[in-house]
Amino acid sequence: VILSLILLFPLARSWAQVAAPNEAGVAMGHVHLNVRNVEANRKFWAELGGTAARLDGMTVMRFPGILIFLTPGAASGDNEGAVVNHIGFYLQDFEKSVAEWQGEGIKMTDLVRRPNRKAAYVYSPDNLKIEIAQNADTPPLATSIVNDHIHFYLPEASGAELLAWYAKMFGAKLIEQTPLLNATLPGVRLRISASDKETAPTKGRVLDHIGFEVK
């Protein structure tokens, strides 16, 4: 997994409202996308609740806790089969958001409604999968949507090794939870599902890499 480390934490924090850093001086920053049509993606992410801005000549969509960088270019494919499979958000009002997005014609699959959890996947114009959810035990949100997690797929031994690396390098806190491996950094959960086969690098895919703010 390619990591982009941005060394502008105070500026980025005020500009993006990213989370305060942990003791290691690290917080979630951004995901960087390769997109065929920047305007179509700007519209899509705006419908999800993002706010458009410009940074270093690039279109960036701001969400509480994360930035979505949109770089024009043809990706080698979506992120199915890659180490980073998808990203996830929590919703303030799942039913309201789903109804609005279905009305806008946004692609949506795997819609589930259980007493303790409502969830689905929505898809960007370049077929990037994005998990949306509202859990019964989720604290009330101040906004309609907030960043939640990055979901990795790796062979079991590699998953444990990856979380150990994040703990050592970035101060991630490991969480005991099965069947998923979990760790937290300010602004994001790192979730790992075991894959029965090797997964490919993200570089060149729609979701090209992930980035963290370093104090």
Side-chain angles (χ1 to χ4, degrees), residues 148-151 159 163 172-185 189-193:
D148 175 46
H149 72 269
I150 298 170
H151 206 133
L163 287 192
K173 303 298 184 183
L174 304 183
I175 301 172
E176 292 293 334
Q177 183 177 342
T178 56
L180 300 175
L181 293 171
N182 281 265
T184 62
L185 282 163
R189 285 186 301 150
L190 308 176
R191 308 185 73 189
I192 300 180
S193 289

Side-chain angles (χ1 to χ4, degrees), residues 3 5 20-28 161-175 182-190 212-215:
L3 301 178
L5 306 181
N22 62 11
E23 293 179 356
V26 179
M28 183 61 205
E161 183 181 359
L162 179 66
L163 287 192
W165 185 90
Y166 274 104
K168 177 182 178 181
M169 298 296 293
F170 288 172
K173 303 298 184 183
L174 304 183
I175 301 172
N182 281 265
T184 62
L185 282 163
V188 70
R189 285 186 301 150
L190 308 176
F212 297 87
E213 302 296 331
V214 180
K215 186 175 180 179

Side-chain angles (χ1 to χ4, degrees), residues 2 11 13 63 116 134 138-139 158 166 169 176 186-187 196 207:
I2 305 300
L11 173 62
R13 183 181 174 192
F63 288 86
N116 63 338
Q134 181 180 10
T138 302
S158 297
Y166 274 104
M169 298 296 293
E176 292 293 334
D196 59 2
L207 196 164

Side-chain angles (χ1 to χ4, degrees), residues 11 16 23 36-37 42-43 49 51 68 93 100 106 108 111-112 114-115 120 123 158 160 162 188 198 205 211 213:
L11 173 62
E23 293 179 356
R36 292 169 295 176
N37 186 318
R42 186 206 62 76
K43 182 175 183 293
T51 303
I68 310 293
D93 188 331
E100 290 176 354
I106 291 176
M108 187 177 302
L111 181 60
V112 296
R114 301 190 182 101
Y123 294 80
S158 297
L162 179 66
V188 70
E198 292 291 331
R205 304 278 185 128
E213 302 296 331

Side-chain angles (χ1 to χ4, degrees), residues 6-9 12 18 25-30 67 211-215:
I6 297 181
L7 304 179
L8 298 173
F9 192 101
V18 298
V26 179
M28 183 61 205
H30 73 272
L67 301 174
F212 297 87
E213 302 296 331
V214 180
K215 186 175 180 179

Side-chain angles (χ1 to χ4, degrees), residues 5-193:
L5 306 181
I6 297 181
L7 304 179
L8 298 173
F9 192 101
L11 173 62
R13 183 181 174 192
S14 61
W15 186 75
Q17 296 181 332
V18 298
N22 62 11
E23 293 179 356
V26 179
M28 183 61 205
H30 73 272
V31 294
H32 205 125
L33 309 186
N34 296 311
V35 301
R36 292 169 295 176
N37 186 318
V38 172
E39 179 55 26
N41 276 270
R42 186 206 62 76
K43 182 175 183 293
F44 166 81
W45 290 103
E47 288 171 349
L48 262 59
T51 303
R54 298 285 290 178
L55 180 64
D56 291 338
M58 288 183 289
T59 298
V60 181
M61 302 304 297
R62 297 186 293 175
F63 288 86
I66 195 170
L67 301 174
I68 310 293
F69 280 64
L70 305 177
T71 299
S76 60
D78 59 36
N79 282 69
E80 288 300 319
V83 171
V84 178
N85 181 273
H86 64 270
I87 58 178
F89 291 84
Y90 274 140
L91 303 181
Q92 182 185 66
D93 188 331
F94 183 86
E95 297 297 348
K96 179 182 178 182
S97 294
V98 164
E100 290 176 354
W101 298 340
Q102 287 177 329
E104 293 290 340
I106 291 176
K107 179 183 175 182
M108 187 177 302
T109 65
D110 300 291
L111 181 60
V112 296
R113 292 180 172 94
R114 301 190 182 101
N116 63 338
R117 178 174 171 82
K118 299 176 181 179
Y121 292 115
V122 296
Y123 294 80
S124 78
D126 294 276
N127 210 42
L128 176 67
K129 185 166 66 176
I130 300 135
E131 185 174 352
I132 55 171
Q134 181 180 10
N135 293 342
D137 60 354
T138 302
L141 305 181
T143 58
S144 64
I145 184 169
V146 298
N147 183 53
D148 175 46
H149 72 269
I150 298 170
H151 206 133
F152 303 81
Y153 281 73
L154 287 164
E156 188 170 353
S158 297
E161 183 181 359
L162 179 66
L163 287 192
W165 185 90
Y166 274 104
K168 177 182 178 181
M169 298 296 293
F170 288 172
K173 303 298 184 183
L174 304 183
I175 301 172
E176 292 293 334
Q177 183 177 342
T178 56
L180 300 175
L181 293 171
N182 281 265
T184 62
L185 282 163
V188 70
R189 285 186 301 150
L190 308 176
R191 308 185 73 189
I192 300 180
S193 289

